[in-house]
Amino acid sequence: MTFALHSTVFIIACILAISVYVQADTPNGNRPNDRPGRFLSLPVPEKCSRRPKEFFYKGHNYFFTGHLVELKDKKFDWLDGRNLCREYCMDLTSLETQEENNLIFKLIQQNDVPYIWTSGRLCDFKGCENRTDLEPKNLHGWFWSATRAKIFPTNRITPGWGYNAWSQTGHKKIPQPDNAEFDINRTVESCLAILNNVYNDGIAWHDVACYHEKPVVCEDNEELLNYVASTNPGIRL
């Protein structure tokens, strides 16, 4: 069940910050080796037409980069991971239901994957300032960037779920998200990854600094598929 957004203002802020076609992603707390001002990639019609379709769930195709020969040993920072997916008319996976979350957890478990990125993002950029409904940010400030759906408060179980997917521990030995790296090098942990028992906590969600490199699971993105279909008559998607 997707947690309803508090207001249309939240949607507008997200659209301005992660516009499908034109807006750059510039997370707070960039490290010196980050590449600020990078833009979200446009879909590539040819890639969309032949995108990998490893498994299917509720109308969407998915694939894990670790299962593709050409991407098997590659890892990506959060934005590069998004852009890889977007070229195929996909995006990083958004885990909006427990069933979908269990599906991805099972993939990680069965393939002994140490970690992956999701599309989860902290609303800590321009357009998110002075938003009382997002405070405190570690509880109320997370959303799925691929769908712009707000994530339920991190300290509560999402309605319809039987558990809280956020880990109850981490580097600081407190429930996630804990923004632990900020205490180490002033880098904000603005992106949502799934880690596989890194802190003896099983498979669980963690906030992680966006510059870290991980494999990704890509999921069909309806906006991009519709855009390519409307601008390329006759294309088979």
Side-chain angles (χ1 to χ4, degrees), residues 12-14 16-18 23 26-28 123-129:
I12 294 170
C14 294
L16 289 175
I18 55 168
Q23 199 67 11
T26 53
N28 289 344
C123 197
D124 62 348
F125 38 76
K126 186 176 181 180
C128 302
E129 319 92 283

Side-chain angles (χ1 to χ4, degrees), residues 2-21:
T2 301
F3 177 50
L5 297 177
H6 287 313
S7 69
T8 56
V9 178
F10 183 86
I11 300 176
I12 294 170
C14 294
I15 291 174
L16 289 175
I18 55 168
S19 166
V20 172
Y21 303 116

Side-chain angles (χ1 to χ4, degrees), residues 2 26 39 50 70 75-76 84 87 89 97 103 109 120 122 132 141 174 195 203 215 223:
T2 301
T26 53
F39 286 78
R50 57 179 175 81
E70 64 273 26
K75 298 177 183 178
F76 314 87
L84 168 77
E87 289 184 358
C89 283
T97 67
L103 185 70
Q109 181 183 43
L122 184 66
T132 57
I174 62 174
L195 306 187
I203 301 172
E223 287 183 343

Side-chain angles (χ1 to χ4, degrees), residues 30-71:
N30 279 337
R31 289 171 57 88
N33 62 347
D34 279 351
R35 292 167 287 161
R38 291 181 291 157
F39 286 78
L40 288 174
S41 292
L42 289 168
V44 179
E46 296 78 9
K47 286 188 174 183
C48 295
S49 181
R50 57 179 175 81
R51 68 191 183 283
K53 299 176 180 178
E54 182 181 353
F55 57 98
F56 186 82
Y57 171 75
K58 293 289 181 70
H60 284 186
N61 294 287
Y62 298 72
F63 75 86
F64 171 50
T65 53
H67 287 166
L68 299 184
V69 174
E70 64 273 26
L71 299 173

